[in-house]
Amino acid sequence: MTDRRSFIKTVAAVAAAAAAAPLAAGCRENSSDAGGGAAVPAAGDQDSPLIVPKAQGLRITGTFLDEISHDIPHQNWGLAEWDADFANMRAIGIDTVIMIRSGYRKFITWPSEYLLKKGCYMPSTDLVEMFLGLADKYGMKFYFGLYDSGKYWDTGDMAYELESNKYVIDEVWSRYGHHESFKGWYISTEISRKTKNCISTFHEMGKMCKDVSGGLPTFISPWIDGKKAIMGTGLSSKKGVSVRRHEEEWNEIFDGIHDVVDACAFQDGHIDYDELDAFFSVNKKLADRYGMQCWTNAETFDRDMPINFLPIKFDKLRMKLEAAARCGYDKAITFEFSHFMSPQSAYLQAGHLYDRYKEYFDIV
């Protein structure tokens, strides 16, 4: 097992290499105010402790809402806490909130007649109604995340997720579609490679969402099968997917789903920091080829730590957002604000990340 000193040296070497590396082919230079890598704060900014140019990254304008989770703790917030968090989000420019999933196995976020009859537990609060009401209040777009039965994770076959969601989609639109903020759908089944039945299942669920709602946009958020895409206690695997193989597999997937899936937000935490430009440029090229929006899911938790899951170090987030900007991405969303970036999070470090983010983007 890597000791702490070796781990620190490895992270430092990666950060240095990433800072010195030229832009990868396919990624564009940032806007004219990029600053050319200035080593000192700009004139008129003497009070800032930053020694890197500010605001070179793509701003985070969307976040998942995760209250049905199996790997991060619940914060047990009520309406008052959620209202305050939506205000904190809006203060830094977040305009889109995405319920990451409306249910996971037997726990659900809303009193679905269909899912309750299937043995799911009655929730104490209708979180879908709460989140839509707050999105209405703060002028945000709300994307509804579909139901995750857990059968895909047990079997590796995505087709199982069709059975429940064909009823869930109809029911939720009938119940909540009147909200002004209901602006789209998130197909919540996560994949990284060409999973069994992924193309046909994504296509069918995307079509069902669009048909019932008059064509509202849909998106997916897969992960890249990189060095950090592992299960268990290790921090990295010896080998991740090659850029070329990633491009080949996702070219086939995009070709089969682009008519009913409008955007793809790859999770950015499974590859190393010096690989960001190479993979990001491929993602953007594929999205452009098929007329899809290219988003990034800028994870605000740290995959380099031996403890799951803690708020990310600011420089790691900055490097990921700057790579997304260089490669011309359309939008940055995050998993996820309330636990890992909110000033009222149960994690003290999250509020500090919020402050560093505001400082970097000059948000008062």
Side-chain angles (χ1 to χ4, degrees):
M1 182 175 178
T2 303
D3 61 29
R4 181 174 180 272
R5 180 174 294 177
S6 298
F7 174 76
I8 292 172
K9 287 181 178 179
T10 300
V11 173
V14 168
L23 302 182
C27 288
R28 63 173 175 79
E29 295 253 6
N30 208 347
S31 57
S32 58
D33 63 350
V40 295
D45 195 21
Q46 291 87 352
D47 293 334
S48 173
L50 295 180
I51 60 171
V52 295
K54 288 186 175 183
Q56 302 305 289
L58 187 63
R59 288 198 184 208
I60 295 171
T61 55
T63 181
F64 285 104
L65 305 172
D66 189 4
E67 274 300 286
I68 293 291
S69 178
H70 65 282
D71 55 8
I72 57 175
H74 287 267
Q75 301 193 102
N76 295 307
W77 289 351
L79 178 58
E81 291 88 356
W82 277 113
D83 194 320
D85 221 45
F86 271 63
N88 289 327
M89 295 173 198
R90 207 68 183 92
I92 62 168
I94 289 177
D95 59 19
T96 305
V97 290
I98 308 113
M99 174 171 278
I100 194 165
R101 56 185 71 86
S102 55
Y104 179 63
R105 298 189 189 268
K106 290 189 175 183
F107 284 96
I108 55 179
T109 58
W110 55 293
S112 164
E113 293 181 14
Y114 172 79
L115 294 175
L116 288 170
K117 290 176 182 177
K118 289 293 182 178
C120 290
Y121 305 133
M122 171 65 80
S124 60
T125 304
D126 185 342
L127 289 173
V128 178
E129 181 63 40
M130 180 190 295
F131 291 154
L132 278 162
L134 289 170
D136 289 342
K137 176 179 177 179
Y138 287 98
M140 296 180 177
K141 300 173 184 177
F142 175 89
Y143 280 69
F144 180 87
L146 302 186
Y147 173 69
D148 184 343
S149 72
K151 292 179 181 178
Y152 158 65
W153 300 106
D154 296 335
T155 66
D157 188 345
M158 275 186 65
Y160 283 105
E161 300 310 317
L162 287 170
E163 179 182 354
S164 297
N165 277 300
K166 61 185 178 183
Y167 298 103
V168 166
I169 291 166
D170 283 340
E171 186 181 346
V172 77
W173 182 252
S174 175
R175 185 168 184 145
Y176 303 107
H178 65 280
H179 278 275
E180 176 65 26
S181 59
F182 198 132
K183 296 297 186 182
W185 305 85
Y186 171 54
I187 305 173
S188 59
T189 308
E190 297 177 18
I191 66 172
S192 63
R193 308 287 290 271
K194 189 184 173 186
T195 303
K196 186 177 181 180
N197 290 317
C198 66
I199 295 175
S200 58
T201 304
F202 274 146
H203 193 277
E204 191 164 346
M205 287 199 287
K207 187 175 187 304
M208 287 191 295
C209 290
K210 285 184 169 293
D211 286 349
V212 77
S213 63
L216 287 184
T218 65
F219 84 97
I220 59 175
S221 186
W223 77 90
I224 299 169
D225 195 20
K227 298 174 183 176
K228 303 179 191 179
I230 58 170
M231 303 296 288
T233 58
L235 293 175
S236 64
S237 61
K238 293 182 179 180
K239 186 177 181 181
V241 68
S242 69
V243 176
R244 180 176 179 180
R245 186 60 182 271
H246 173 78
E247 181 174 2
E248 290 172 352
E249 293 189 19
W250 280 95
N251 181 69
E252 183 177 355
I253 295 170
F254 280 10
D255 183 54
I257 68 173
H258 69 276
D259 58 323
V260 292
V261 176
D262 299 281
C264 181
F266 278 103
Q267 301 167 29
D268 68 3
H270 296 90
I271 54 176
D272 223 335
Y273 303 99
D274 54 3
E275 298 178 302
L276 291 169
D277 289 285
F279 280 96
F280 280 19
S281 61
V282 163
N283 296 341
K284 176 61 173 170
K285 178 173 70 174
L286 290 175
D288 287 349
R289 178 180 299 164
Y290 291 101
M292 298 169 66
Q293 289 274 300
C294 187
W295 298 359
T296 187
N297 180 354
E299 294 177 343
T300 36
F301 66 92
D302 202 331
R303 290 189 181 273
D304 302 327
M305 299 292 291
I307 304 172
N308 295 337
F309 294 100
L310 298 175
I312 199 169
K313 175 182 173 66
F314 169 71
D315 275 332
K316 295 177 181 179
L317 176 60
R318 175 182 62 82
M319 291 165 67
K320 296 190 297 182
L321 294 176
E322 288 175 353
R326 285 195 297 270
C327 294
Y329 273 35
D330 299 297
K331 189 177 182 71
I333 63 175
T334 185
F335 183 85
E336 49 83 52
F337 179 88
S338 298
H339 282 87
F340 305 118
M341 199 174 177
S342 170
Q344 63 172 14
S345 167
Y347 296 114
L348 181 64
Q349 308 97 314
H352 298 320
L353 180 60
Y354 185 80
D355 291 339
R356 301 291 76 73
Y357 180 89
K358 289 175 64 180
E359 181 178 71
Y360 174 71
F361 281 108
D362 276 330
I363 300 172
V364 180

